Amino acid sequence: MTRHITRAVLGTGAVLISSTLVLTGCGSGFSGGDAKPDAGGLTSSDDALTVLIGSSGDAETAAVQKALDDWTAKSGTKTSLQVASDLNQELSQGFAAGKPADLFYLSTDQIAGYASNGSLKAYGDDLKNKDDFYPSLVENFTVDGDFYCAPKDFSTLALVINTKMWADAGLSDADLPKTWDDLASVAQKLTTPEHVGLAFGAEYQRVGAFMAQAGGGLAKDGKAIASDQANVDALTYVKSHLADGTFAFAKDVGAGWGGEALGKGSAAMVIEGNWITGAMTNDYSSVDYTVAELPAGPSGQGTLQFTNCWGMAADSPNQKAALDLVEYLTSADSQLAFSKAFGPMPSIKSAADAWTADNAALAPFLAGADYAQFPPNQDGAADVVSDFNAQLESLKTADPATILDSVQSNLEAVVK
């Protein structure tokens, strides 16, 4: 097994945490008096651009600021970076006040609501690099057939393994799990009185990977599929190994999330995204680990992806310049610089080879882009997922079909 030494921290721009948000405001005219739509329907003016982000820390803020400064030097258009302490709240307040930022980080669970009330400009089809984005990321930010915004980066889930515990159990690279049976077998060998074989969060954002591997998910082709037998099979598999003690939810081994469980030695393997690299570097630098693709289930390989986009305000008086800035921020050079600074994976295919060369040990995360699913992006879906997560906490003793029937009922009300 290859020793993995981490180097980068993944910013919050790539991590997706579902939250409830009251969507307010709508497109109601241009905030700049001299703004005029161009032939492509984009406003144009001499106004500076405001950019609102939620930052993971100084590294991300500095990287975005440098990119903005470089673009300003190239374009002549000034920019102002705003770092939100509560991105959801400040974005909502900006729309409600009729003074939104021109560009902003926007998550998949927010896009449908803001799109429906006219707050967003759907500019995706105007991007010169439109065809370079991974198709699943484009789908993530498509609402009612309109591609709204450029995916700024993304993350996937993979299997992260404590190298020493793996070797101590007599396991080698040949034992990396390829199937559910393999995963159950190595988890059993890795489980000791001191640590569990595999841990992950008690949430759809982790357990959903098993649903994908079983051929299920929450929604498909605009229909809720939560109660499908494939999902019942997935949750039944997870439940059986929670019951035999070889799998555990992170909270049940005294950890707030998978990264903490791995770092503290409470679990030999965890299911996490590439944001784990930052925590391991900063908080658990003495722990060596290896990343592997998640094993295939009955329906093949499956994982989940998480992403944000560069949202554009419908009320922006300078959308033409904003579009040019987005193309600059999502170019291969910019995204590779962001990756080096704070860790996210580039959202464009043309940067894949360079990213992999620089991050060979993390390549399994990028490999997941070929088969990743994403959480439903319909308005109200985040609330359904939150309720699902609450029910998953009792999966060890609950009936999987009953849980999924409840999710199906809730999801049918929002996925139409």
Side-chain angles (χ1 to χ4, degrees), residues 306-330:
F306 307 94
T307 181
N308 281 346
C309 78
W310 286 107
M312 185 186 296
D315 281 353
S316 170
N318 202 358
Q319 294 167 344
K320 186 175 181 180
L323 178 67
D324 186 74
L325 175 54
V326 169
E327 289 172 344
Y328 181 82
L329 293 172
T330 57

Side-chain angles (χ1 to χ4, degrees), residues 199-201 249-262 264 266-267 284:
F200 44 87
F249 289 138
K251 66 181 182 63
D252 294 329
V253 294
W257 66 295
E260 183 181 2
L262 189 74
K264 289 185 173 180
S266 302
Y284 309 107

Side-chain angles (χ1 to χ4, degrees), residues 49 65-80 325 328:
L49 297 178
Q65 183 64 68
K66 182 180 186 307
L68 296 181
D69 291 343
D70 291 346
W71 179 80
T72 291
K74 171 179 172 288
S75 68
T77 301
K78 294 181 179 179
T79 60
S80 174
L325 175 54
Y328 181 82

Side-chain angles (χ1 to χ4, degrees), residues 10-388:
L10 186 75
T12 54
V15 182
L16 186 68
I17 305 296
S18 295
S19 59
T20 302
L21 178 67
V22 177
L23 301 173
T24 57
C26 62
S28 57
F30 309 130
S31 58
D34 297 326
K36 298 179 180 179
D38 66 7
L42 298 173
T43 59
S44 179
S45 72
D46 294 328
D47 290 28
L49 297 178
T50 54
V51 180
L52 177 67
I53 69 170
S55 178
S56 61
D58 292 344
E60 181 170 0
T61 300
V64 175
Q65 183 64 68
K66 182 180 186 307
L68 296 181
D69 291 343
D70 291 346
W71 179 80
T72 291
K74 171 179 172 288
S75 68
T77 301
K78 294 181 179 179
T79 60
S80 174
L81 179 63
Q82 301 172 355
V83 181
S85 56
D86 185 327
L87 180 61
N88 289 350
Q89 181 182 57
E90 292 178 39
L91 185 59
S92 179
Q93 288 173 342
F95 281 124
K99 296 181 178 180
D102 296 280
L103 293 174
F104 39 83
Y105 286 5
L106 184 67
S107 64
T108 55
D109 62 344
Q110 296 172 300
I111 187 170
Y114 282 133
S116 67
N117 68 19
S119 295
L120 303 179
K121 174 65 177 179
Y123 69 87
D125 286 336
D126 296 321
L127 290 162
K128 294 176 183 177
N129 57 346
K130 171 188 174 182
D131 294 335
D132 200 11
F133 294 102
Y134 289 100
S136 61
L137 297 179
V138 172
E139 186 180 355
N140 242 173
F141 294 108
T142 297
V143 178
D144 295 332
D146 293 325
F147 177 27
Y148 267 82
C149 49
K152 65 179 222 60
D153 50 40
F154 77 113
S155 303
T156 64
L157 299 177
L159 190 66
V160 189
I161 303 166
N162 182 303
T163 305
K164 184 178 185 303
M165 291 180 182
W166 185 268
D168 288 348
L171 298 169
S172 68
D173 284 354
D175 298 303
L176 289 172
K178 302 299 183 186
T179 67
W180 279 5
D181 287 345
D182 293 343
L183 183 64
S185 177
V186 297
Q188 182 178 37
K189 292 176 182 178
L190 289 164
T191 299
T192 72
E194 289 74 37
H195 57 256
V196 71
L198 174 66
F200 44 87
E203 56 184 349
Y204 160 72
Q205 289 88 344
R206 302 297 179 274
V207 177
F210 292 102
M211 296 164 62
Q213 293 156 16
L218 289 181
K220 184 176 182 180
D221 298 329
K223 296 182 179 179
I225 61 167
S227 61
D228 281 13
Q229 185 60 44
N231 295 322
V232 177
D233 293 344
L235 264 59
T236 299
Y237 170 80
V238 173
K239 176 182 177 179
S240 68
H241 295 296
L242 291 173
D244 69 23
T246 59
F247 291 7
F249 289 138
K251 66 181 182 63
D252 294 329
V253 294
W257 66 295
E260 183 181 2
L262 189 74
K264 289 185 173 180
S266 302
M269 303 183 294
V270 297
I271 296 174
E272 276 300 338
N274 42 301
W275 52 81
I276 196 174
T277 61
M280 299 306 291
T281 297
N282 295 329
D283 302 324
Y284 309 107
S285 59
S286 64
V287 178
D288 295 328
Y289 64 96
T290 295
V291 179
E293 290 182 69
L294 291 172
S299 188
Q301 288 182 288
T303 188
L304 298 183
Q305 72 180 23
F306 307 94
T307 181
N308 281 346
C309 78
W310 286 107
M312 185 186 296
D315 281 353
S316 170
N318 202 358
Q319 294 167 344
K320 186 175 181 180
L323 178 67
D324 186 74
L325 175 54
V326 169
E327 289 172 344
Y328 181 82
L329 293 172
T330 57
S331 67
D333 287 346
S334 291
Q335 291 208 54
L336 289 170
F338 290 153
S339 179
K340 186 173 293 186
F342 59 98
M345 294 191 300
S347 58
I348 51 175
K349 294 172 286 187
S350 62
D353 289 346
W355 185 88
T356 301
D358 288 340
N359 301 274
L362 304 182
F365 287 115
L366 189 57
D370 291 335
Y371 49 83
Q373 287 188 4
F374 55 86
N377 64 358
Q378 289 85 355
D379 191 20
D383 292 333
V384 176
V385 171
S386 293
D387 180 73
F388 186 19

